[in-house]
Amino acid sequence: MVTLKEIARRSGVSTATASYVLNNGPKAVLPETRERVLKVMNELGYRPNAAARGLKKKRTHTLGVVFPHVWAEPLDNEYYSQVWKGIVKAASARKQVLMIFAGMTWAEIVENVPSFLDGRCDGFLFLAPPANSPLIQDILSRESRVVLVGSQGMDLIVSAVDSDNIAGGKLAADYLISLGHKKIGMIMGEVTSTSALTRRNGFKNAIISANLDLDESLLWTFEYDETAQIPMVRRIVGACRERGMTALFCGHDSIAELILREAPSFGLRIPEDLSVVGFDDLSTTAHTNPPLTTIRQSMVEIGAAAVQILLDLIDEVTTEPTEKLFDVYLIERESTAAPSKAHQP
Amino acid sequence: MVTLKEIARRSGVSTATASYVLNNGPKAVLPETRERVLKVMNELGYRPNAAARGLKKKRTHTLGVVFPHVWAEPLDNEYYSQVWKGIVKAASARKQVLMIFAGMTWAEIVENVPSFLDGRCDGFLFLAPPANSPLIQDILSRESRVVLVGSQGMDLIVSAVDSDNIAGGKLAADYLISLGHKKIGMIMGEVTSTSALTRRNGFKNAIISANLDLDESLLWTFEYDETAQIPMVRRIVGACRERGMTALFCGHDSIAELILREAPSFGLRIPEDLSVVGFDDLSTTAHTNPPLTTIRQSMVEIGAAAVQILLDLIDEVTTEPTEKLFDVYLIERESTAAPSKAHQP
DNA sequence: GTGAAAGCGCTAACAG
DNA sequence: CTGTTAGCGCTTTCAC
C-alpha cells in the first residue's frame, strides 16, 4: 500500500505538504511543488486511506441505508427499487457512498444496526421501518442524523420523507365516490406499516365526509401468505355478491394486480362488476388487463429528498427534524367505471 | 463519543486490557476484570470505532458491490434483486457489511470505482459488468480480491460466478428442436453482456449440431429504447410470416413478455403461430398469457456463492481465481408447442 | 495477568 | 511556502 509518507519522500517534501496538495489546503502550496507531488501520486496510483481519513476527520462521506428486509419480496419490490434509485442518484451527485444494512427479518436488523453506530456512516436512512419500532427510538437516542423514508405520521421527533398517504387514500375514495359508488371496500398492506395505516385513514375520512356508510366488514388486510390469497379473493368476491360492494381500493398495486388476475375465474368482471384502484403506479400496471387505475407516488423523488435532508442534517445546515410529504396523483385507466345498473338502487 | 481509553479509565485498567476484553484476546484477562470492563462498556453503550479498527487491522469486514447501473431498470430488475438477495443473505450470515457502488451509467462507475480502492472494502463484487471492460482490468491490476457475477467467459484471470449460459442457450434450442421446430429465431439482450453472448453461442451450437439452418437474419438484438420496441416486434412478426419462423428464444423473460403482450395485436397466436421461450424464470412469467416456458437460473444461489468465493479470497483460503457455473433448468409452460400444420412442410 | 508505548495513515496546529 | 509533530482510537509487542 502506498502511503502519503511515501509520496512525500519520493517528491522530496514533507507529509504536511503532500497532505496540503491532496486536500487543496488548508495551506497554499507552490504550483511547481504541487505538480511534482501530483505527478508522483499519479505514477504510484496513490489512494488516500479511507480509515485514516475517517479516523482523523470524523467524516466518512458514507450514508447508511437500512432496509426492513431484502426488497426482493414481490409486494414491495418496485417501490424499493425506485426509492433506491432516487437515493443513489442524489448520493452520487453529492459524492456520498452508500452502505447497506439489510437482513431477512426486522429482528435481524434490530439486532445488528446498533453495532453500526461506530462511525462508519455519517448518518442513516431507514426505509419504511415498521410503525413505532423501538429500534428507531433506540437509534435516535444515540444518533440524530437519521431520516425515515416511507414512514410519515409516527410520533417520533425525527426527519421523514413520504408520500402524502392521507391525501392518497382520500383521492382514491373521492374518485370512486365521484363515479357513483356507494359501497366501497379497501384492502390495506401490512398493519405494521405507517403508510398502509395512513392510506386507510385517508380513505375512511373520505367515506365519512361523503356521508357514506363505512362498512367495517369491507376493510381487509392483505394476506402475504400465498396460500391465503385465493381465500382472500373469494371473500372479496363474496362481498360484491352479498353486500353489494362495487368498488375496491387496494393499498398496493401488487394487491390490485392479484385481484385483476383472479377475478375472471370467479366470474367477476372488472370494471363492470367491481371497480379497482391501486396505489403506487408500478410500471406493470399500465399493462394489466384491464389497465389499472391507481395513485401515483413520486418514489424516485422521495429517495432523493431523503438524501438531501440527511446531508443537511450531517452538515448542520439544519438542526431541526424536517418532514416532507410528496403529492400523489390519480392515474385514471380502465379498471374503474360507474357502478352498473344492476347495482344501482 | 466514548472511547476505549475512557472505558479503561472508568474500569481502572489500561487500554491494553480493555482491548483484550473487547477482542477476547490475544491475551487472557482475569474473569473479574473482564466482567468489570464489560459492565462499563454496556453502561456507556460503547461502540469500538470502525475507522480506528480498520486503520490498525487493515480489515473492515465490508464488501463492496458494484452495480453496472441502478437496477431499477425494468429489464433486469428482478435478476439483480434476486442476486442481491443471495448476496445479502450470505454476507449477513458471515457478519459482513455491504457497501454499494452504483451510478447511472457505466462511465460513472468507471470514473468512481478506483477511488474506492482505499481500504474501505476488503473486496469487491461486480454485478454483470460489460464484457471486456477496461475498468475490470484496471481494478484487477491493483486489487485481486474481486469476484465477477453474471460474467462468465471473459478472458480475464478473475473469479466469477454465473449461470451456465452456454448450456442454457442449448437447452432452449434443443427443447424447441425436440418439439419439431426448424426455423428458430433468437433475440439477445445487450451485446455488451457476456451472458447474452454466451446464451446465443449455446443457442447457435444447438442449431448447428441439429443440422438445422442457422439463419442469421433470425438473430436480433433487443432494443432498449422504448420507441424502438414496437418496430422490433413488427420485424419479428414479419419473420414468422415471410420466413416461416415458428419459434423464438428470448435472452430475457422481460423480452419474451413484451412479445407475448404485443403478439395478439399483430394477429400472432402464441404458441399456435409462434413458440416462445424466455430466460430467467422471473416471478411474473408464470402469470403471463399464456404462461411462459423459460429457463430458470438460480439467482439467489449465484449471489450467495459470489460472497462465499470473495470471502475465501479475502481470508486467503484460496488464492487461485475460481469460476463457478450454476445449472439452469427448463420450465415448461404454455408458450411453446409443436409447430402447427400450416408451417409443416 | 496487566500495562506502557509504538504506530496504523492521515490532518492540522504550530513553528520557522 | 514548507516542515515538525501531536494525535485521531485502536491493537499488539514487549516489558514487568
Side-chain angles (χ1 to χ4, degrees), chain B residues 4 20 27 46 49 53 56:
Chain B
L4 232 211
Y20 298 149
K27 294 289 183 65
Y46 170 69
N49 181 280
R53 280 191 143 171
K56 193 68 195 173

Side-chain angles (χ1 to χ4, degrees), chain A residues 39-335:
Chain A
K39 189 156 165 286
V40 175
M41 285 179 174
N42 253 326
E43 283 169 11
L44 301 192
Y46 170 69
R47 292 287 153 208
N49 181 278
R53 280 190 142 173
L55 179 57
K56 189 70 194 176
K57 309 258 283 198
K58 270 123 189 61
R59 189 81 141 71
T60 58
H61 302 283
T62 301
L63 271 22
V65 184
V66 181
F67 287 87
H69 46 65
V70 173
W71 71 94
E73 301 309 327
L75 192 68
D76 307 307
N77 193 357
E78 188 171 335
Y79 172 78
Y80 286 116
S81 297
Q82 293 294 112
V83 170
W84 171 250
K85 187 174 182 168
I87 292 173
V88 169
K89 212 164 164 175
S92 75
R94 298 195 48 183
K95 305 278 178 214
Q96 306 295 306
V97 172
L98 297 169
M99 197 170 242
I100 299 292
F101 305 107
M104 296 298 125
T105 64
W106 184 246
E108 280 179 30
I109 301 276
V110 169
E111 192 186 324
N112 290 311
V113 168
S115 76
F116 299 127
L117 298 173
D118 60 1
R120 57 181 122 188
C121 297
D122 297 332
F124 292 88
L125 253 30
F126 281 84
L127 295 207
N132 305 315
S133 158
L135 171 68
I136 305 287
Q137 304 257 17
D138 182 39
I139 301 282
L140 284 174
S141 68
R142 288 109 109 347
E143 171 62 72
S144 61
R145 293 165 305 182
V146 168
V147 176
L148 269 32
V149 185
S151 287
Q152 73 181 94
M154 297 173 82
D155 296 327
L156 301 170
I157 301 166
V158 57
S159 293
V161 185
D162 202 355
S163 288
D164 189 342
N165 288 308
I166 292 267
K170 187 163 158 40
L171 188 57
D174 283 346
Y175 169 68
L176 289 169
I177 292 166
S178 78
L179 286 177
H181 293 277
K182 309 279 185 218
K183 275 280 191 180
I184 307 175
M186 174 179 179
I187 312 178
M188 70 183 283
E190 304 183 73
V191 273
T192 56
S193 138
T194 54
S195 54
L197 290 165
T198 46
R199 277 170 209 175
R200 193 171 61 173
N201 287 341
F203 173 81
K204 283 183 174 179
N205 291 160
I207 299 291
I208 292 165
S209 304
N211 288 314
L212 291 181
D213 173 36
L214 179 67
D215 185 343
E216 294 279 346
S217 73
L218 262 33
L219 264 29
W220 296 274
T221 298
F222 182 70
E223 313 268 359
Y224 280 72
D225 175 10
E226 275 206 30
T227 63
Q229 292 179 356
I230 296 303
M232 184 190 73
V233 173
R234 203 182 295 275
R235 280 195 298 279
I236 284 157
V237 172
C240 295
R241 303 262 156 80
E242 291 150 28
R243 313 187 60 91
M245 179 174 81
T246 60
L248 180 68
F249 170 44
C250 300
H252 289 292
D253 277 357
S254 45
I255 300 174
E257 288 178 2
L258 175 72
I259 304 294
L260 260 45
R261 202 164 62 224
E262 297 300 336
S265 58
F266 289 95
L268 197 70
R269 294 161 307 160
I270 292 171
E272 293 82 355
D273 300 325
L274 181 71
S275 283
V276 175
V277 175
F279 204 110
D280 281 344
D281 193 30
L282 301 187
S283 60
T284 50
T285 57
H287 305 122
T288 53
N289 180 22
L292 183 70
T293 293
T294 190
I295 308 293
R296 174 178 295 169
Q297 316 193 55
S298 306
M299 303 179 270
V300 175
E301 289 76 9
I302 286 174
V307 168
Q308 176 67 39
I309 291 175
L310 180 55
L311 286 173
D312 284 350
L313 237 35
I314 292 168
D315 293 332
E316 297 181 322
V317 172
T318 51
T319 49
E320 290 300 298
T322 320
E323 184 165 278
K324 186 170 173 90
L325 295 185
F326 278 83
D327 287 342
V328 294
Y329 308 91
L330 178 72
I331 305 297
E332 204 173 342
R333 296 205 188 92
E334 295 153 40
S335 64

Side-chain angles (χ1 to χ4, degrees), chain B residues 72-267:
Chain B
E73 300 309 326
L75 192 69
D76 307 305
N77 194 354
E78 187 171 336
Y79 173 78
Y80 286 117
S81 296
Q82 293 294 114
V83 169
W84 171 249
K85 186 173 182 169
I87 292 173
V88 169
K89 212 165 164 173
S92 77
R94 296 195 49 184
K95 306 276 177 214
Q96 305 295 306
V97 172
L98 298 169
M99 198 171 241
I100 299 292
F101 304 107
M104 297 298 125
T105 64
W106 184 248
E108 281 180 28
I109 301 276
V110 169
E111 193 186 324
N112 289 311
V113 167
S115 78
F116 298 126
L117 298 173
D118 61 0
R120 58 181 125 189
C121 296
D122 297 332
F124 292 87
L125 252 30
F126 280 84
L127 296 206
N132 306 315
S133 160
L135 171 68
I136 305 287
Q137 305 256 20
D138 182 38
I139 300 282
L140 284 174
S141 68
R142 290 109 109 348
E143 171 63 71
S144 60
R145 294 165 306 183
V146 168
V147 176
L148 268 32
V149 185
S151 287
Q152 74 182 94
M154 297 172 82
D155 295 328
L156 301 169
I157 301 166
V158 56
S159 294
V161 185
D162 201 354
S163 289
D164 188 341
N165 287 309
I166 292 268
K170 186 161 159 42
L171 187 57
D174 284 345
Y175 169 67
L176 289 168
I177 293 166
S178 78
L179 287 176
H181 293 277
K182 311 276 184 219
K183 274 279 190 182
I184 309 175
M186 175 179 178
I187 311 179
M188 71 183 283
E190 305 180 75
V191 273
T192 57
S193 138
T194 54
S195 54
L197 291 166
T198 45
R199 279 171 208 175
R200 192 172 63 173
N201 288 342
F203 172 82
K204 283 183 174 178
N205 291 160
I207 299 291
I208 293 166
S209 305
N211 290 316
L212 290 182
D213 172 35
L214 179 66
D215 185 343
E216 294 279 345
S217 72
L218 263 33
L219 264 29
W220 295 276
T221 298
F222 182 69
E223 313 267 357
Y224 280 72
D225 175 9
E226 276 207 26
T227 64
Q229 292 179 357
I230 296 302
M232 183 189 74
V233 173
R234 203 181 298 273
R235 279 195 298 279
I236 285 158
V237 173
C240 296
R241 301 264 156 79
E242 291 150 29
R243 311 187 63 89
M245 179 174 81
T246 60
L248 180 67
F249 169 44
C250 301
H252 289 293
D253 277 358
S254 46
I255 300 174
E257 287 178 3
L258 175 73
I259 303 294
L260 260 44
R261 203 165 61 224
E262 297 300 336
S265 58
F266 289 95

